[in-house]
Amino acid sequence: MREGIKRITTGIVFVVVIVSVLVFNNRIIDSIFVTLLSILGMYECNRCFKAKGHHPLSIIGYIACLLIPLIGNVSLEVLLKIVMIALPILMVASFAYIVIKELKVSIIDIAITFFSILYVPFLFSFIKLLFIEPHGRILVILAFVCATATDTFAYEIGSRFGKHKLSPVVSPKKSIEGTIAGIIAAMVATGILCYITNTYFSTEFNIIIMIIMGAVFSIVGQIGDLAASSIKRYCIQKDFSNLLPGHGGILDRFDSIMFISPMVYIFIQLISLI
């Protein structure tokens, strides 16, 4: 009972924070929100790999997280130049650290460090990129709606009617029935959201195309969920952390959205070219 109350309370606080960020519609708050998610996610990712006996260079990951506030405040051209300058410097510093530590830090640790940067701040940065797009808040809501609809119905239907395992090695509880239910739920939720925004917020989404994309986003989100599970299984961890009591960590809650957000951004960019 206590665990259930803890889970519900955390969920309510979590939703209130996200809704508040969306309602405020402030670039500074957006930057703080996404940067904080990235820093906490980087902490969890490092913690997970350290539990396995690896030694990722945490400071490099945190430095990468601090680039996120630049998105929307400097041009993408300037941001690209900063990244192109920073990457070689960080690479040299990483290998210099290996020498200084006399191989107590290995090439595997360096690989995990740069993987963590791609997995955490890079993927989270697409939420910030969506925020600065026209109708950006609706696009972020779309990513959350797809992820939530998929996770909710995949769990509910899978736990009740799931008989065929989707990936028993990576995630034993996931079923093909749950996966299909999650895809259908995301399609329906996307269609409803686009109808509401077209009617009341002057968007011009093609509802048929968006419903189809809802299926794509759902599949990508479930791949993100399995990706997180594969990391935790490799590191022999149940959750990335307990930062969100009853829900695990930031990466446990955002694993789907981290994969859906880039796909939404790519889709919007492709549509703008047509």
Side-chain angles (χ1 to χ4, degrees), residues 32-63:
I32 293 173
F33 174 65
V34 180
T35 302
L36 184 59
L37 287 180
S38 297
I39 291 173
L40 292 174
M42 183 59 70
Y43 161 76
E44 292 178 349
C45 197
N46 289 331
R47 172 186 176 275
C48 204
F49 282 111
K50 285 177 181 178
K52 183 66 174 178
H54 297 295
H55 303 88
L57 280 64
S58 301
I59 186 64
I60 292 179
Y62 293 134
I63 290 173

Side-chain angles (χ1 to χ4, degrees), residues 172-249:
K173 294 183 179 180
K174 296 191 185 305
S175 66
I176 293 175
E177 291 84 356
T179 296
I180 294 171
I183 293 171
I184 294 172
M187 293 171 72
V188 172
T190 299
I192 293 172
L193 176 64
C194 290
Y195 173 78
I196 292 172
T197 59
N198 283 354
T199 304
Y200 298 104
F201 296 95
S202 303
T203 56
E204 297 179 351
F205 294 126
N206 183 309
I207 294 181
I208 301 300
I209 292 177
M210 292 306 295
I211 288 174
I212 295 171
M213 290 309 301
V216 175
F217 298 149
S218 177
I219 293 169
V220 170
Q222 294 190 63
I223 292 172
D225 195 340
L226 290 170
S229 295
S230 68
I231 294 172
K232 289 184 287 186
R233 193 157 292 277
Y234 169 75
C235 296
I236 318 176
Q237 298 291 303
K238 181 178 182 293
D239 295 315
F240 278 103
S241 78
N242 60 353
L243 286 175
L244 302 173
H247 291 262

